[in-house]
Amino acid sequence: MKQGAQGSAVTGNPGGSQGRQVPSGVARVPAQGRGADVGRDRGDAAPSARGEQARGEHTHSETPIPRPRPLVQRASVRGQILDALRTALVTGELTPGAVYSAPALGEQFGVSATPVREAMQQLALEGAVEVVPNRGFRVVERGARELAELAEVRALIEVPVMLRLARSVGAERWAELRPLAEATVRAASTGCRATYAESDRTFHRAVLSFCGNEQLVQLADDLHRRAQWPLGSAARPSGWHADLLADAAEHTALLDALIVGDLDVVRSLVGEHFAGVR
């Protein structure tokens, strides 16, 4: 829940076309993915006989061209780019306040600008970046107040649900989440903010999933993701590694209390967990 660690993602001159590296741990898009993507950017498609004749081209003796790859291939490329950019946001390698262009980032990923632009537009909808006309996308600079507001909203959603689940879910079900809680501890020990962010959200999604309300789980996860974006440099706290370790320890303590059914401890822990988010 506390945000702030180091990782590797996009580096270099913001908005430039050279000098940045592909996010660490994210492979360049496979050749077939790039081919499908570039083809769609040019507007390539399987031409019909009518279309060819309209351009004055003869088609009577040509072998029909296979239909384009399913759109799921394109969606896969866009999804990979979106995941990589989200990682870069969490690690801070997409620098708050800096402007990045889709063509320059696309070059780093080995794809055209289109899937990068689409991924950035999704991040704009989520509030992570803002469009800068004729330049690209600026990473939003957030302050401590916004992070506190997100923590408050998350607490309003998650705390009542956790307390209700503490009364209704059996110990054996809670015990199933032990590996996920332990995974957050291991992730925190690495000091990698991106690794911890993913394990943190995974644990919280698993806890909330017992409520059976998928809309609530999705809403809480979206808020959680937003809370993991780093603050602007002026508001960035020190001691982030210790914060991650303390946050992960609260996960295991909470799970212990849920297993034994200690509602007082559960109530205290979930309150502290969200109050300490920063």
Side-chain angles (χ1 to χ4, degrees), residues 92-277:
E93 293 193 56
L94 280 179
T95 309
V99 177
Y100 297 87
S101 71
L105 291 175
E107 182 178 338
Q108 304 305 315
F109 286 115
V111 300
S112 74
T114 299
V116 177
R117 188 175 294 110
E118 292 172 346
M120 280 293 200
Q121 288 169 346
Q122 175 59 38
L123 292 176
L125 291 175
E126 297 174 5
V129 302
E130 57 188 8
V131 178
V132 181
N134 303 318
R135 292 185 60 195
F137 301 85
R138 178 184 290 112
V139 180
V140 173
E141 293 189 84
R142 304 187 312 144
R145 176 175 179 176
E146 181 179 348
L147 195 59
E149 290 174 349
L150 284 169
E152 181 180 6
V153 175
R154 289 186 59 209
L156 290 172
I157 294 174
E158 295 193 42
V159 172
V161 174
M162 287 185 180
L163 292 176
R164 175 165 58 85
L165 293 175
R167 299 182 180 90
S168 59
V169 177
E172 67 284 353
R173 300 289 305 280
W174 292 121
E176 295 172 1
L177 304 188
R178 178 69 68 185
L180 299 181
E182 294 174 346
T184 67
V185 176
R186 292 193 299 272
S189 67
T190 69
C192 176
R193 184 168 189 166
T195 301
Y196 183 74
E198 183 60 36
S199 65
D200 185 20
R201 291 200 318 275
T202 298
F203 175 76
H204 278 262
R205 284 197 304 268
V207 171
L208 294 176
S209 68
F210 286 143
C211 76
N213 187 329
E214 183 59 32
Q215 298 303 314
L216 183 148
V217 174
Q218 183 61 56
L219 176 59
D221 189 56
D222 289 343
L223 290 168
H224 196 164
R225 186 190 301 279
R226 291 176 59 189
Q228 291 173 333
W229 302 332
L231 298 171
S233 58
R236 195 172 302 161
S238 59
W240 50 263
H241 193 181
D243 285 345
L244 295 187
L245 292 170
D247 196 65
E250 289 175 359
H251 291 158
T252 56
L254 173 61
L255 193 59
D256 289 341
L258 289 168
I259 290 174
V260 300
D262 192 330
L263 297 181
D264 290 336
V265 173
V266 170
R267 184 177 295 103
S268 175
L269 283 172
V270 294
E272 292 174 1
H273 199 59
F274 287 96
V277 171

Side-chain angles (χ1 to χ4, degrees), residues 15-23 28-29 34 37 81 101-116:
S17 60
Q18 303 294 334
R20 282 190 293 277
Q21 300 176 350
V22 177
R28 292 170 67 88
V29 175
R34 296 198 299 272
D37 171 62
I81 300 301
S101 71
L105 291 175
E107 182 178 338
Q108 304 305 315
F109 286 115
V111 300
S112 74
T114 299
V116 177

